[in-house]
Amino acid sequence: MSTLPQERRVVTAIPGPKSQELQSRRTASVAAGVGSVMPVFAARADGGIVEDVDGNRFIDFGSGIAVTTVGASAEAVVRRASAQLADFTHTCFMVTPYEGYVEVAEQLAELTPGDHAKKSALFNSGAEAVENAVKIARAYTKRTAVVVFDHGYHGRTNLTMALTSKNMPYKQGFGPFAPEVYRVPVAYGYRWPTGAENAGAEASAQAIDQINKQIGAENVAAIIIEPVLGEGGFIEPAKGFLPAIRQFASDNGIVFVADEIQSGFCRTGQWFACEDEGIVPDLITTAKGIAGGLPLSAVTGRAEIMDAAHSGGLGGTYGGNPVACAGALGAIETMRELDLNAKAKRIEEVMKPRLTAMQEKFDIIGDVRGRGAMIAIELVKSGTKEPNPKATAQIAKACHAEGVLVLTTGTYSNVVRFLPPLVIGEELLTDGLDVLEAAFAAL
Ligand code: PLZ
C-alpha cells in the first residue's frame, strides 16, 4: 500500500477549483457520450480512498465499478506489472507467446468452479470476453440462438448491446443490433408479482417455457446469465432459479455461460458468485477484478468447448497483454494472501445490519440485498414499490458532496450500490455508512 492516508477529507467544494478547470478542458476535448459519475479528477487511489487533484479524499464505495478489489495500487500488482513493463510491454501472444498468459490461464483453471479439464482465452474488456463466449458456444454447438435475461447487462459492443436489456443509456440510437438474441424472465424476488418465495420456481418455468415455445431448445447455443445481475440492480436471482436454468441447459446440450465479470474474484465472498448455489458453468467470463485495474478479461471453460473454435479463430492484438497478465497474477496473489473472500464476508457483516436498520428508519428504502462486498439498497416512493430514481440521485449526490463515492445502478435507476475495495479499513466503511445515513435523514 502507498502512503495515501486512509481517511475521508473534504477541503474544497465538490468539485474543487482544479477539477473544475480540468472539467472545462475535458468538455472541450472529450466526446459528450462518455459520462462520469463525479466531476472530480483523480490524483491518487489506494486502499479505500480516492484522492482528487484538489486534495479531497473520498471513501471509495465503487472500486471503479468493481475493478480495484485489491485496491488501486496494490503492492503485488504494482511490483509485478512494473517488472513486466521493464522487460517488455508487448509482443502479441499471437506472434510470440509469453509465460504470464499461460500462468493466468492456469490460475483460472484452478480457481473457477468445477474440477473438469479447463482452458482459457484472454481478451481486454468484459464485452470482448462475452462476445468470445458466444463465438465459442456457437462453434461448439453449431447452433445460433443466444438466450439472455431481463435486467441483464453484458457490454456496449454491438453483440453485447443486443444482450444487454436496458435501453437508456446503453442502446438508444445505436442499433440495429445483432440477431438471434432472445430475452426471458429472471427471478427478481423483490418485484416478482406473486412474491419472492415463488420467484425462483415461477420465473424459471416461464423462462424455460419461452425458450421451448419461441426459440426451440435445439436451436440455442448459449444461455448467458450474471449470477448476481450487476447493472440490473444487484439482483440475486431467487433461490432455485439458477439451478433450474443450469439443469435445463445440461438437458438440452446448451452451453451455460456465467457472466462473472462484475460478481467474480472474491466480490461476493466466494471466488465466483455461482458457487453459492453449487452451479458449475460450462463457460465463465471474467474481467474487472481479475487484474487489479489493468485491462484484462477471460473466457474459461470446459476444454472440449473451448477447443471447438478453429486455430486462429480467437484472439486480438492486445488480448492477454503481458503487463495486464502480470497485474492479474499480482491481484490473485493478493486475494489469496489477504484472504479477500473472508474480507468480503466481513464487509457484508458490517454493512448489512446498518443498512437494514436504515431501512426500518427510512421507508423509501424498499429492499436491502446482495452479498459480500456487492451490496445494494433499492429506493422506492414511501409506502409503495414504485421506483424512486430521484431520491437515488439525491442520495448519491449528497454522499459525493461529503466525500463518499457511491454508485447507482438498476433498470429503474433506483438502486444505490456498494462495491468497496475488499482491502478497505473498517473505520472507513463505518464512516461511509454514517454519511449515507445522514444523507437519508436530510432528504
Ligand atoms: N458483463 C456483468 O458488469 C461491465 C459497465 C459500466 P466491460 N459493467 C460495468 C458501463 O456503463 O459501461 C460488465 C458487467 C458484466 C459485462 C460487462 C462489460 O465489461 O469491461 O465494460 O466491457
Side-chain angles (χ1 to χ4, degrees), residues 112-116 118 246 250 256 258 274-275 277-283 302:
T112 53
D115 41 25
H116 48 276
K118 290 175 210 153
R246 161 70 277 192
S250 300
F256 181 92
C274 61
E275 291 170 49
E277 273 192 286
I279 305 286
V280 177
D282 298 313
L283 299 181
R302 294 184 189 280

CSV table of all heavy atoms in Angstrom, one decimal, residues 112-116 118 246 250 256 258 274-275 277-283 302:
chain,number,residue,atom,x,y,z
A,112,THR,N,-11.7,-21.3,-11.0
A,112,THR,CA,-13.1,-21.3,-11.4
A,112,THR,C,-13.8,-22.6,-11.0
A,112,THR,O,-13.1,-23.7,-10.8
A,112,THR,CB,-13.2,-21.1,-12.9
A,112,THR,OG1,-12.4,-22.1,-13.6
A,112,THR,CG2,-12.8,-19.7,-13.3
A,113,PRO,N,-15.1,-22.6,-10.8
A,113,PRO,CA,-15.8,-23.8,-10.3
A,113,PRO,C,-15.7,-25.0,-11.2
A,113,PRO,O,-15.6,-24.9,-12.5
A,113,PRO,CB,-17.3,-23.4,-10.3
A,113,PRO,CG,-17.3,-21.9,-10.3
A,113,PRO,CD,-16.0,-21.5,-11.0
A,114,GLY,N,-15.7,-26.2,-10.6
A,114,GLY,CA,-15.7,-27.5,-11.3
A,114,GLY,C,-14.3,-28.0,-11.4
A,114,GLY,O,-13.3,-27.3,-11.6
A,115,ASP,N,-14.2,-29.4,-11.4
A,115,ASP,CA,-12.8,-30.0,-11.5
A,115,ASP,C,-12.6,-30.7,-12.8
A,115,ASP,O,-11.7,-31.5,-12.9
A,115,ASP,CB,-12.5,-30.9,-10.2
A,115,ASP,CG,-13.7,-31.7,-9.9
A,115,ASP,OD1,-14.5,-32.0,-10.8
A,115,ASP,OD2,-13.8,-32.1,-8.7
A,116,HIS,N,-13.4,-30.4,-13.8
A,116,HIS,CA,-13.2,-30.9,-15.2
A,116,HIS,C,-11.9,-30.2,-15.8
A,116,HIS,O,-11.5,-29.2,-15.3
A,116,HIS,CB,-14.4,-30.6,-16.0
A,116,HIS,CG,-14.9,-29.2,-15.9
A,116,HIS,ND1,-15.8,-28.8,-14.9
A,116,HIS,CD2,-14.7,-28.1,-16.7
A,116,HIS,CE1,-16.0,-27.5,-15.1
A,116,HIS,NE2,-15.4,-27.1,-16.1
A,118,LYS,N,-10.0,-27.7,-18.0
A,118,LYS,CA,-10.4,-26.3,-18.4
A,118,LYS,C,-9.4,-25.7,-19.3
A,118,LYS,O,-8.2,-26.0,-19.1
A,118,LYS,CB,-10.7,-25.5,-17.2
A,118,LYS,CG,-11.9,-25.8,-16.4
A,118,LYS,CD,-12.0,-24.9,-15.1
A,118,LYS,CE,-12.7,-25.7,-14.0
A,118,LYS,NZ,-12.2,-25.2,-12.7
A,246,ARG,N,-29.6,-24.0,-15.2
A,246,ARG,CA,-28.4,-24.8,-15.4
A,246,ARG,C,-28.8,-26.2,-15.8
A,246,ARG,O,-28.3,-26.7,-16.8
A,246,ARG,CB,-27.6,-24.8,-14.1
A,246,ARG,CG,-26.5,-25.8,-13.9
A,246,ARG,CD,-25.3,-25.7,-14.7
A,246,ARG,NE,-25.4,-26.3,-16.0
A,246,ARG,CZ,-24.4,-26.5,-16.8
A,246,ARG,NH1,-23.1,-26.2,-16.5
A,246,ARG,NH2,-24.6,-27.1,-18.0
A,250,SER,N,-28.1,-28.2,-19.4
A,250,SER,CA,-27.5,-29.6,-19.5
A,250,SER,C,-28.3,-30.5,-20.3
A,250,SER,O,-27.9,-31.3,-21.1
A,250,SER,CB,-27.2,-30.1,-18.1
A,250,SER,OG,-26.4,-29.3,-17.4
A,256,PHE,N,-24.0,-23.3,-20.9
A,256,PHE,CA,-24.4,-22.4,-19.8
A,256,PHE,C,-23.2,-21.5,-19.5
A,256,PHE,O,-22.1,-22.0,-19.1
A,256,PHE,CB,-24.8,-23.2,-18.6
A,256,PHE,CG,-25.3,-22.4,-17.5
A,256,PHE,CD1,-26.6,-22.0,-17.3
A,256,PHE,CD2,-24.4,-21.9,-16.5
A,256,PHE,CE1,-27.0,-21.3,-16.2
A,256,PHE,CE2,-24.8,-21.1,-15.4
A,256,PHE,CZ,-26.1,-20.8,-15.3
A,258,ALA,N,-21.8,-18.4,-17.3
A,258,ALA,CA,-21.9,-17.5,-16.2
A,258,ALA,C,-21.1,-16.2,-16.4
A,258,ALA,O,-19.9,-16.3,-16.6
A,258,ALA,CB,-21.5,-18.1,-14.9
A,274,CYS,N,-21.4,-17.9,-8.5
A,274,CYS,CA,-22.3,-19.1,-8.8
A,274,CYS,C,-22.0,-20.2,-7.9
A,274,CYS,O,-22.8,-21.1,-7.7
A,274,CYS,CB,-22.1,-19.5,-10.3
A,274,CYS,SG,-20.5,-20.0,-10.8
A,275,GLU,N,-20.9,-20.2,-7.1
A,275,GLU,CA,-20.6,-21.2,-6.2
A,275,GLU,C,-21.6,-21.3,-5.0
A,275,GLU,O,-21.8,-22.4,-4.5
A,275,GLU,CB,-19.2,-21.0,-5.5
A,275,GLU,CG,-18.0,-21.2,-6.5
A,275,GLU,CD,-16.7,-20.7,-5.9
A,275,GLU,OE1,-16.4,-21.1,-4.8
A,275,GLU,OE2,-16.0,-19.9,-6.6
A,277,GLU,N,-24.7,-21.4,-5.0
A,277,GLU,CA,-25.8,-22.4,-5.3
A,277,GLU,C,-25.2,-23.7,-5.9
A,277,GLU,O,-26.0,-24.5,-6.5
A,277,GLU,CB,-26.9,-21.8,-6.1
A,277,GLU,CG,-28.0,-21.1,-5.2
A,277,GLU,CD,-29.2,-20.8,-6.0
A,277,GLU,OE1,-29.2,-19.8,-6.8
A,277,GLU,OE2,-30.3,-21.4,-5.8
A,278,GLY,N,-23.9,-23.8,-5.8
A,278,GLY,CA,-23.3,-25.0,-6.4
A,278,GLY,C,-23.3,-25.2,-7.9
A,278,GLY,O,-23.3,-26.3,-8.4
A,279,ILE,N,-23.4,-24.0,-8.5
A,279,ILE,CA,-23.5,-24.0,-10.0
A,279,ILE,C,-22.1,-24.2,-10.6
A,279,ILE,O,-21.2,-23.5,-10.2
A,279,ILE,CB,-24.1,-22.7,-10.5
A,279,ILE,CG1,-25.5,-22.4,-9.9
A,279,ILE,CG2,-24.2,-22.7,-12.1
A,279,ILE,CD1,-26.6,-23.2,-10.4
A,280,VAL,N,-22.0,-25.1,-11.5
A,280,VAL,CA,-20.7,-25.3,-12.3
A,280,VAL,C,-21.1,-24.9,-13.7
A,280,VAL,O,-21.7,-25.6,-14.5
A,280,VAL,CB,-20.2,-26.7,-12.2
A,280,VAL,CG1,-18.9,-26.8,-13.1
A,280,VAL,CG2,-19.9,-27.1,-10.8
A,281,PRO,N,-20.6,-23.7,-14.2
A,281,PRO,CA,-20.9,-23.3,-15.5
A,281,PRO,C,-20.1,-24.0,-16.6
A,281,PRO,O,-19.0,-24.5,-16.2
A,281,PRO,CB,-20.6,-21.8,-15.6
A,281,PRO,CG,-19.8,-21.5,-14.3
A,281,PRO,CD,-19.9,-22.7,-13.4
A,282,ASP,N,-20.5,-24.1,-17.8
A,282,ASP,CA,-19.7,-24.6,-18.9
A,282,ASP,C,-18.6,-23.6,-19.2
A,282,ASP,O,-17.5,-24.0,-19.5
A,282,ASP,CB,-20.6,-24.9,-20.1
A,282,ASP,CG,-21.6,-26.0,-19.8
A,282,ASP,OD1,-21.3,-27.0,-19.1
A,282,ASP,OD2,-22.8,-25.8,-20.1
A,283,LEU,N,-19.0,-22.3,-19.4
A,283,LEU,CA,-18.1,-21.3,-19.6
A,283,LEU,C,-18.3,-20.2,-18.6
A,283,LEU,O,-19.4,-20.0,-18.1
A,283,LEU,CB,-18.3,-20.7,-21.0
A,283,LEU,CG,-18.1,-21.5,-22.2
A,283,LEU,CD1,-18.3,-20.7,-23.5
A,283,LEU,CD2,-16.7,-22.2,-22.3
A,302,ARG,N,-14.9,-25.6,-20.1
A,302,ARG,CA,-14.6,-27.0,-20.4
A,302,ARG,C,-13.7,-27.1,-21.6
A,302,ARG,O,-14.0,-26.4,-22.7
A,302,ARG,CB,-15.9,-27.7,-20.7
A,302,ARG,CG,-16.8,-27.9,-19.5
A,302,ARG,CD,-18.1,-28.7,-19.8
A,302,ARG,NE,-19.0,-28.6,-18.7
A,302,ARG,CZ,-18.9,-29.2,-17.5
A,302,ARG,NH1,-17.9,-30.2,-17.4
A,302,ARG,NH2,-19.7,-29.0,-16.5
